[in-house]
Amino acid sequence: MQQTILAISGKPGLYKLVSRGNNSLIVEALDGTHKRIPAFATDRITSLSDIAMFTETDDVPLMDVLEKMKTLEGGKKASINEKKASGQELRDYFTKVLPEWDQDRVQNSHIKKLITWYNILIEAGITTFKDAEEETETTEKASE
């Protein structure tokens, strides 16, 4: 799942990889429109599995942050409205999700985007943010 969910710079929302064209990828919007569009090599396309959040120690993969949000929210949409919340409310909310986040390098806009993406994924019915293999590896490392 992680490799097929994409963020495209300059385009709002998230996209699912549908197929590959000659010089492009065919992606489908995860919002209610399910609109299919081509994404070209000139677009900055990033897989969600390649994104991480800054913390005071190591960077935390985005999938781990999304999993923590899901645990906090009980698998439902975010309890905070990212469009209306103040900067301090966003920071307080994100501290509940990831207490060790780097407050100098993570901007309010990053938190808003994270919450927006989380809501898009939940609405699209995507609630498994970690693969089964990763879950096992994480559990094994924790028990060592």
Side-chain angles (χ1 to χ4, degrees):
M1 184 285 299
Q2 299 171 17
Q3 267 64 36
T4 61
I5 305 298
L6 308 171
I8 302 173
S9 182
K11 297 184 192 307
L14 293 173
Y15 298 85
K16 179 173 73 171
L17 177 63
V18 177
S19 70
R20 299 173 192 275
N22 286 342
N23 291 321
S24 65
L25 300 174
I26 306 301
V27 296
E28 181 179 294
L30 284 178
D31 60 11
T33 64
H34 298 288
K35 183 178 177 183
R36 290 186 178 193
I37 59 170
F40 300 98
T42 55
D43 295 322
R44 275 195 18 220
I45 303 168
T46 308
S47 170
L48 290 193
S49 63
D50 295 336
I51 300 173
M53 296 297 284
F54 297 119
T55 65
E56 297 295 336
T57 54
D58 292 333
D59 293 348
V60 175
L62 183 66
M63 292 301 161
D64 291 349
V65 177
L66 291 169
E67 190 66 37
K68 289 179 181 192
M69 281 184 74
K70 182 176 98 174
T71 302
L72 177 71
E73 298 294 351
K76 297 184 175 95
K77 287 178 65 173
S79 57
I80 187 170
N81 183 339
E82 71 277 9
K83 293 178 180 129
K84 294 183 180 177
S86 70
Q88 189 57 48
E89 290 171 329
L90 289 170
R91 291 174 162 304
D92 292 344
Y93 176 81
F94 197 56
T95 300
K96 292 180 199 171
V97 175
L98 193 65
E100 68 276 11
W101 66 285
D102 188 333
Q103 299 196 19
D104 294 330
R105 296 194 290 174
V106 177
Q107 305 297 316
N108 291 344
S109 61
H110 299 151
I111 299 169
K112 283 183 178 183
K113 187 178 284 187
L114 173 71
I115 295 168
T116 302
W117 286 357
Y118 171 79
N119 287 336
I120 289 170
L121 291 169
I122 293 297
E123 285 176 12
I126 300 170
T127 58
T128 307
F129 301 121
K130 290 177 135 188
D131 292 336
E133 295 172 9
E134 286 184 49
E135 292 270 347
T136 306
E137 288 175 19
T138 306
T139 308
E140 287 174 0
K141 287 179 183 176
S143 62
E144 289 178 0

